[in-house]
Amino acid sequence: MITLTTWVLAVVPATMPLQQADTTQLEPITITATRVPVAARVLTSSLTIIDGSDLRLRGVTSVAEALRDVPGATVVQSGSFGGATSLFLRGGESDYVQVLIDGVKVNQPGGAYDFAHLSTENIERIEILRGPGSVLYGADAVAGVVQIFTRQGSGAARYNVGVRGGTFGSVRVDGDVSGETSGVQYAFGASHLATDGAYAFNNDYDNTVWSGRVQLKPDDVSTLSLSMRYRDSRFHFPTDASGNLVDQNALSLDEATSVSIDAARWLTDNVELRLLVASNVTSIGTDDAQDNDADTTGFYAFQSLQDLRRQSADLRANVFFDPGIVVTGGVELERHDERSFNESLSQFGPSNGSTREDRNNRSAYAQVLLNHGGVSVTGGARVDHNSAFGTFWTYRGGVGYQFSTGTSLRGSVGRSFKAPTFFENFATGFVTGNPELLPERSTSWEASITQDLVGDLVSVTGTYFAQSFRDLIQFTFDQSPNYANIAEANASGLEIEAVVHVPAGLSLTANYSYLDTEVKDTGFEIGEGASFVLGNRLLRRPTDRLTASVDFSGLERAGLGFGVVYMGDRDDRDFSTFPATPVILSSVTTVSVWGNVDLVPQRGVVPGLSATLRIENVFDQSYETIVGFPARGRTVFLGGRIQGGRGR
């Protein structure tokens, strides 16, 4: 039988052995770029892997913080803990990245995703695909894909319990248990964060997460995996849309549940059938009650509730051929539902509105992978038929070659798309949606070279990419419907990555990203205060970004490290004025340090105790990633952790 392990071994070139001397790093295996396990070196697309154990050693507890070190990625947050957090990847819009948790698409229909509440507990690894991903993942995977894999238990039962506290009255408690019994692998985790927030009043934030994954093998040719993640967040915000401190009691609620069932069975020695059934339900609410009895002018109270449901079933077959060829074909059925309600109280009387909409998507896709003799070839195509916008085709192709000298070349090209939001399609009342909207689309290409030096202790990669964004959806009051496909923009850039593994436990990583964005068609917008100004940069995306980190684990019972993030100046708009005022946000450099020490080593069934320290923004830099919303100053976290169970 051609097992997945056999396939992985087949696609690693003879010039890149899996094991050499003790100082050699094992070749990482990835799934996101191809949906079959492939050695990362033979991919024809750009991909970053973040290991969950590294995040825990560094004390990183949010996915947003982890993504700051990814080449081509810019993370912006509206203020303190819980403030809306967006990811701009390779110059794309903030809703151009598909986000998955164990295969479940957790974006809102239309691509939006708030990273503010996504924590790192129970995470095995995060894979970030940079570039088009619509062939395998459909709508919204325009500039990339972020996929989170939760831990898969094995061996004897083990557990962790940790607590840490710090600046702004922050307290975080987390725990996990994992293992394997009677052939059933399991891993469960939970966490709770509570903080007073960085603002002077009404900035409390709490976030509770439960997650779990169970996998079993009914027989020698079948596996069944069940994954679940539940999150409940409450964020108090004193700010208006411009960042002014104006409200004593406004808060937002965000609750989400994602569930997936992933079943696999070998039908023959070289044909694998996989079925993924997934569901994500998100409820988002805002409650801004009347401040006091005297608060009776203007629009003085507001409530809203939005319920978003995204269910899908994906059936695909992988046909494996020797040596190093796999053909994938699949179909996906997906349904989106939105139910929303809002009510406003004002001096003009009460008003309310509600919506109830749904749409369906059917798709078919195919992919061919070839990895043999140092040559890598990827080709795929997909057709989506959506009940709202009709039929849309996407494609992706790439080629790579690994030389015996440690040099790797690769290049790829692809097309992707983003679906309209429900509001853009179906809004009624004060704003009229446009049911005739087309998807926003992008065509992109990239070329890359990787060179290994000093054996494979040093690796340097340079990647050039270019993307064009077309049919961007814009709003105007001057016509009805109020939305139309009209704006255009381009983004191109260079990403340079370096990794150095020094014997004795020293690891150095660095990357530099140069980004050139340009508005090519402003659409409806006019004036210097518009979001799209002809020839200008896209908002909130810096031209230059540099990150570097050093980790030292050579000490017997301790580890330490530090990281630096430089973000160049960015264009933004100050929306506290009308029309909005153009603003250039200053460049900033922030430093983080971390460390951990085993105070009591674990011995057999006697649990161990360790202490952790993380300091973010060490030099207390004052800066903003969004005009009017200051980022957190120096933030210190000190904690302890108990580890127990056998096998550690």
Side-chain angles (χ1 to χ4, degrees):
M1 174 181 292
I2 302 178
T3 65
L4 292 181
T5 301
T6 305
W7 159 252
V8 171
L9 292 173
V11 301
V12 178
T15 57
M16 292 295 300
L18 281 176
Q19 293 183 332
Q20 294 177 353
D22 291 342
T23 57
T24 299
Q25 299 295 308
L26 295 181
E27 183 76 5
I29 304 302
T30 177
I31 295 175
T32 301
T34 59
R35 296 190 74 179
V36 293
V38 172
R41 179 57 64 93
V42 303
L43 292 176
T44 60
S45 302
S46 297
L47 186 127
T48 299
I49 302 174
I50 301 175
D51 190 87
S53 60
D54 290 341
L55 295 179
R56 287 182 280 277
L57 288 174
R58 294 183 176 192
V60 176
T61 58
S62 75
V63 172
E65 187 66 29
L67 294 175
R68 295 183 194 276
D69 292 333
V70 174
T74 299
V75 178
V76 302
Q77 184 171 26
S78 59
S80 186
F81 302 95
T85 306
S86 301
L87 170 65
F88 298 95
L89 194 57
R90 283 188 168 178
E93 297 289 283
S94 61
D95 50 7
Y96 277 11
V97 178
Q98 181 68 261
V99 183
L100 303 103
I101 301 176
D102 287 334
V104 183
K105 300 175 183 178
V106 295
N107 302 65
Q108 296 181 28
Y113 186 77
D114 186 357
F115 283 88
H117 317 299
L118 188 54
S119 53
T120 60
E121 78 289 317
N122 207 30
I123 287 180
E124 180 71 28
R125 69 187 187 280
I126 307 171
E127 296 184 358
I128 303 97
L129 172 68
R130 307 194 300 278
S134 288
V135 164
L136 295 177
Y137 298 102
D140 313 329
V142 178
V145 176
V146 173
Q147 179 153 213
I148 294 166
F149 297 90
T150 57
R151 279 192 280 188
Q152 179 176 309
S154 62
R158 301 182 291 273
Y159 65 87
N160 280 276
V161 178
V163 60
R164 75 175 193 174
T167 316
F168 311 117
S170 303
V171 177
R172 186 178 193 271
V173 180
D174 65 85
D176 64 76
V177 59
S178 62
E180 182 176 2
T181 180
S182 301
V184 178
Q185 299 171 306
Y186 60 89
F188 301 98
S191 70
H192 177 74
L193 168 66
T195 177
D196 297 334
Y199 291 133
F201 61 90
N202 191 37
N203 201 210
D204 299 354
Y205 174 67
D206 63 81
N207 183 37
T208 301
V209 179
W210 300 85
S211 66
R213 182 179 180 184
V214 177
Q215 180 168 299
L216 63 152
K217 290 180 64 68
D219 52 50
D220 292 339
V221 295
S222 305
T223 58
L224 181 66
S225 179
L226 172 64
S227 175
M228 184 278 292
R229 187 180 183 91
Y230 169 79
R231 183 195 73 236
D232 185 11
S233 306
R234 182 181 295 256
F235 173 54
H236 294 253
F237 59 97
T239 58
D240 61 15
S242 301
N244 300 309
L245 300 177
V246 297
D247 206 304
Q248 296 281 347
N249 62 357
L251 63 90
S252 64
L253 310 171
D254 192 311
E255 183 179 6
T257 303
S258 63
V259 180
S260 69
I261 300 174
D262 190 356
R265 183 173 179 83
W266 289 92
L267 302 181
T268 69
D269 285 352
N270 66 332
V271 178
E272 181 195 32
L273 190 66
R274 300 195 72 98
L275 173 65
L276 175 66
V277 179
S279 172
N280 183 72
V281 179
T282 303
S283 296
I284 303 171
T286 299
D287 188 351
D288 186 5
Q290 186 178 12
D291 290 341
N292 50 57
D293 292 340
D295 184 16
T296 58
T297 59
F299 287 87
Y300 57 82
F302 178 76
Q303 286 185 324
S304 69
L305 181 63
Q306 185 180 32
D307 185 74
L308 299 161
R309 298 174 182 269
R310 188 168 186 167
Q311 283 95 22
S312 64
D314 183 294
L315 179 66
R316 67 187 186 276
N318 297 314
V319 183
F320 295 83
F321 300 95
D322 281 330
I325 300 173
V326 62
V327 177
T328 299
V331 294
E332 182 183 36
L333 303 177
E334 191 168 7
R335 179 179 175 85
H336 300 166
D337 294 272
E338 180 188 41
R339 308 290 184 267
S340 64
F341 172 81
N342 65 80
E343 182 178 36
S344 296
L345 299 179
S346 74
Q347 65 187 79
F348 312 105
S351 62
N352 59 70
S354 63
T355 62
R356 184 183 179 93
E357 302 291 346
D358 62 72
R359 63 190 183 199
N360 301 307
N361 195 86
R362 304 189 304 272
S363 59
Y365 58 91
Q367 175 184 259
V368 178
L369 300 179
L370 166 65
N371 291 279
H372 181 63
V375 177
S376 305
V377 178
T378 304
R382 180 186 183 107
V383 59
D384 286 83
H385 181 78
N386 191 281
S387 59
F389 57 77
T391 302
F392 198 85
W393 287 86
T394 53
Y395 63 85
R396 186 179 67 177
V399 62
Y401 188 77
Q402 298 83 45
F403 296 88
S404 59
T405 57
T407 304
S408 302
L409 301 175
R410 59 177 173 80
S412 63
V413 62
R415 186 189 193 215
S416 53
F417 74 102
K418 187 198 83 72
T421 67
F422 273 108
F423 194 81
E424 291 165 343
N425 267 149
F426 306 118
T428 58
F430 188 69
V431 173
T432 303
N434 184 357
E436 302 300 322
L437 287 174
L438 299 174
E440 299 182 4
R441 58 187 174 89
S442 172
T443 303
S444 62
W445 66 272
E446 67 176 75
S448 179
I449 179 172
T450 296
Q451 180 64 57
D452 289 336
L453 304 169
V454 194
D456 61 354
L457 296 181
V458 180
S459 179
V460 180
T461 300
T463 303
Y464 178 83
F465 66 88
Q467 301 182 97
S468 63
F469 308 124
R470 299 295 182 263
D471 292 334
L472 301 184
I473 298 171
Q474 280 190 311
F475 173 85
T476 180
F477 276 121
D478 295 334
Q479 69 177 42
S480 183
N482 299 115
Y483 290 97
N485 298 97
I486 190 166
E488 298 180 1
N490 289 344
S492 60
L494 177 66
E495 298 164 351
I496 300 175
E497 307 167 68
V499 179
V500 181
H501 294 287
V502 180
L506 184 63
S507 176
L508 302 90
T509 62
N511 69 73
Y512 167 75
S513 301
Y514 171 80
L515 178 65
D516 180 23
T517 62
E518 182 181 4
V519 175
K520 304 298 291 185
D521 189 332
T522 62
F524 295 126
E525 301 197 24
I526 58 174
E528 290 299 311
S531 298
F532 288 83
V533 177
L534 190 65
N536 280 14
R537 294 185 295 183
L538 294 171
L539 299 186
R540 299 173 182 168
R541 278 147 276 195
T543 299
D544 302 283
R545 281 189 75 257
L546 174 66
T547 72
S549 63
V550 177
D551 285 278
F552 181 62
S553 57
L555 301 176
E556 182 179 356
R557 293 170 54 182
L560 55 90
F562 71 89
V564 179
V565 177
Y566 167 80
M567 182 163 51
D569 61 58
R570 293 89 65 210
D571 292 348
D572 205 350
R573 299 290 182 267
D574 183 354
F575 293 102
S576 65
T577 64
F578 184 82
T581 304
V583 174
I584 296 180
L585 297 172
S586 300
S587 60
V588 63
T589 301
T590 57
V591 177
S592 299
V593 299
W594 52 83
N596 60 83
V597 57
D598 289 335
L599 301 176
V600 179
Q602 180 186 347
R603 300 183 184 279
V605 296
V606 178
L609 174 65
S610 60
T612 63
L613 172 69
R614 180 175 176 85
I615 307 175
E616 299 173 355
N617 194 1
V618 172
F619 299 106
D620 200 24
Q621 295 290 308
S622 297
Y623 69 100
E624 297 174 339
T625 57
I626 300 175
V627 171
F629 294 89
R632 295 196 307 270
R634 183 186 299 112
T635 307
V636 181
F637 299 107
L638 179 64
R641 181 167 296 276
I642 297 174
Q643 308 98 16
R646 298 186 180 276
R648 286 200 183 269

